[in-house]
Amino acid sequence: MSAAEKPPLMLYLAAPRGFCAGVDRAIKIVELALKVYGPPVYVRHEIVHNKYVVDGLRRQGAVFVDELDEIPQTDQPVIFSAHGVPKAVPEDAAARNMLYIDATCPLVSKVHKEAKIHRKRARDILLIGHKGHPEVIGTMGQLPQGAVTLIETVADAESIRPQEPDNLAWITQTTLSVDDTSDIVGILQRRFPSIVGPHKEDICYATTNRQEVVKVIAAKSDVVFVVGAPNSSNSQRLREVAERSGAAASHLVQRAADIDWRALEGVRSVGLTAGASAPEVLVDEVIDAFRSRFDVTVELEHTVDEDVVFTLPRALREKVAEMEAAV
C-alpha cells in the first residue's frame, strides 16, 4: 500500500513509558549474575511481568522456577523477583545453603519496612492491593499470618471492622491506580481519623508518572494501546485509567501481533504507552505496525523527566568488580 493510499493517523506517544528503575535493576541483576556465575542462574517466579523479557533471559541461561524445591542442589545463585517475596523464602534458601540474590525493587522493600515498623508499634495494618499479586503476597508475608488485612475495594474500606480502630495504619501495593487508591484512603481516613499512612506515598513514582501522562493522551485519542503483560498490575491500571480519561476504548497488548486491526477502521487518533516492565523494542514494533497500515504522524506527549537509578546489590557489585579486576 502506497503512502497516498494509507489513511492518516495521529499517534500520541506517552513519555515517560516502559521500564522503571526497579525493573531495569532486576533485569541487570539477572544479566550480571549470568555473566559472573555463568548459566544456569535460577530465578524464582518471573523476574518481571513480561514474556519478551523473560524469554530473552531464558535464552541467556536463566531458569525460572515457581518454588525453591524445584532447584537441584547447586552452587549457582537463585534470584528473587522484583515483586518481593515473603520472608520465609530467603529463610528457606538459607536453610538449603543456597546462594541467593534479592532483586526486590527498593520501593517495594520500603513498603516491607513500613509494615514491620507498624507491627513493632502494635498497629493493625491495612494493605491496599490486589489479592494474589506477587507483591501483595510478599508484603503480607513479612509479618505473621493475620497481622495484615487486605483492602481491595471501596466496599472493603467501608465494611472493614478492625480490632483496634484507634491504632491503625495503611500501606499500599506500589502499582495501583492512583485515583482508586485515593478513594479508598479517603474512606479509611473518614472512618478512622487517627489512621497512620506512609511518610512518602507507597505508589511508586513510575506508576504515578505513567498514569498521569496516559490521562493526557487518552483525552485526545479514539483508542489507547498499552504495551504490557496481562499479569502486569501497572499495565492493567494504565488500560483502566485510559478508559476513564476519555478514550472510547483501551487495549492491553503484549506486542503488535495482538492488535485487532479490524477494530481500528475509521480511527483517526491513537494513544500509545507501555507498562513499567515492557521494553522499548516492543513499543517500536507497535509503531512500525501502525506505519505499515497508516500514514502516521507521531506526537510525543512528555510530562516529566525520570532520572531514578537504583544501585545493584552489594555482593553482586563486588563480584563484578572482582571479575573485571582479574581481566
Side-chain angles (χ1 to χ4, degrees), residues 137-263:
I137 293 170
T139 299
M140 296 184 77
Q142 301 305 307
L143 301 177
Q145 188 170 1
V148 181
T149 300
L150 185 63
I151 303 291
E152 294 191 85
T153 65
V154 292
D156 291 342
E158 289 283 12
S159 63
I160 184 72
R161 295 288 184 270
Q163 291 184 333
E164 299 285 343
D166 296 323
N167 194 27
L168 279 178
W170 62 270
I171 56 178
T172 81
Q173 184 180 333
T174 64
T175 56
L176 299 177
S177 162
V178 174
D179 295 334
D180 286 351
T181 304
S182 178
D183 291 343
I184 292 172
V185 170
I187 292 168
L188 294 175
Q189 290 174 331
R190 168 175 56 79
R191 293 189 63 211
F192 312 108
S194 62
I195 194 169
V196 177
H199 292 297
K200 186 176 180 181
E201 191 173 7
D202 287 342
I203 295 178
C204 86
Y205 76 95
T207 297
T208 301
N209 291 346
R210 281 149 189 73
Q211 289 181 20
E212 287 303 310
V213 71
V214 89
K215 290 177 183 178
V216 176
I217 65 170
K220 301 191 286 187
S221 304
D222 297 328
V223 181
V224 171
F225 285 92
V226 179
V227 180
N231 59 339
S232 165
S233 174
N234 74 84
S235 298
Q236 290 284 9
R237 303 296 81 75
L238 285 173
R239 184 193 60 77
E240 294 169 358
V241 169
E243 266 189 11
R244 295 174 188 172
S245 302
S250 62
H251 304 286
L252 181 65
V253 296
Q254 296 198 70
R255 41 193 324 174
D258 298 333
I259 298 173
D260 180 3
W261 298 104
R262 294 168 299 178

Side-chain angles (χ1 to χ4, degrees), residues 53-310:
V53 171
V54 169
D55 287 348
L57 293 172
R58 188 178 281 119
R59 286 192 295 270
Q60 296 178 50
V63 177
F64 293 87
V65 299
D66 289 327
E67 299 300 341
L68 298 183
D69 58 14
E70 298 173 42
I71 302 172
Q73 188 170 357
T74 179
D75 293 330
Q76 292 295 100
V78 57
I79 298 171
F80 303 147
S81 81
H83 308 102
V85 296
K87 68 175 185 178
V89 174
E91 290 173 354
D92 185 20
R96 296 169 183 264
N97 294 315
M98 288 178 164
L99 170 63
Y100 65 87
I101 303 170
D102 190 356
T104 300
C105 173
L107 298 179
V108 175
S109 297
K110 164 188 170 290
V111 179
H112 292 181
K113 291 174 185 174
E114 289 170 352
K116 293 171 184 175
I117 290 170
H118 292 316
R119 175 72 175 175
K120 285 181 181 178
R121 294 175 181 172
R123 293 172 179 146
D124 276 3
I125 303 167
L126 307 180
L127 169 61
I128 304 170
H130 295 294
K131 184 178 181 180
H133 189 277
E135 184 182 328
V136 166
I137 293 170
T139 299
M140 296 184 77
Q142 301 305 307
L143 301 177
Q145 188 170 1
V148 181
T149 300
L150 185 63
I151 303 291
E152 294 191 85
T153 65
V154 292
D156 291 342
E158 289 283 12
S159 63
I160 184 72
R161 295 288 184 270
Q163 291 184 333
E164 299 285 343
D166 296 323
N167 194 27
L168 279 178
W170 62 270
I171 56 178
T172 81
Q173 184 180 333
T174 64
T175 56
L176 299 177
S177 162
V178 174
D179 295 334
D180 286 351
T181 304
S182 178
D183 291 343
I184 292 172
V185 170
I187 292 168
L188 294 175
Q189 290 174 331
R190 168 175 56 79
R191 293 189 63 211
F192 312 108
S194 62
I195 194 169
V196 177
H199 292 297
K200 186 176 180 181
E201 191 173 7
D202 287 342
I203 295 178
C204 86
Y205 76 95
T207 297
T208 301
N209 291 346
R210 281 149 189 73
Q211 289 181 20
E212 287 303 310
V213 71
V214 89
K215 290 177 183 178
V216 176
I217 65 170
K220 301 191 286 187
S221 304
D222 297 328
V223 181
V224 171
F225 285 92
V226 179
V227 180
N231 59 339
S232 165
S233 174
N234 74 84
S235 298
Q236 290 284 9
R237 303 296 81 75
L238 285 173
R239 184 193 60 77
E240 294 169 358
V241 169
E243 266 189 11
R244 295 174 188 172
S245 302
S250 62
H251 304 286
L252 181 65
V253 296
Q254 296 198 70
R255 41 193 324 174
D258 298 333
I259 298 173
D260 180 3
W261 298 104
R262 294 168 299 178
L264 294 177
E265 291 182 12
V267 167
R268 292 292 175 262
S269 59
V270 167
L272 179 61
T273 188
S277 51
E280 186 67 8
V281 64
L282 298 184
V283 175
D284 292 339
E285 179 184 274
V286 169
I287 294 173
D288 288 344
F290 272 101
R291 288 192 188 281
S292 71
R293 293 166 174 84
F294 296 88
D295 180 13
V296 175
T297 300
V298 176
E299 182 175 307
L300 185 68
E301 190 63 56
H302 185 274
T303 55
V304 66
D305 291 320
E306 292 182 347
D307 56 4
V308 178
V309 177
F310 295 133

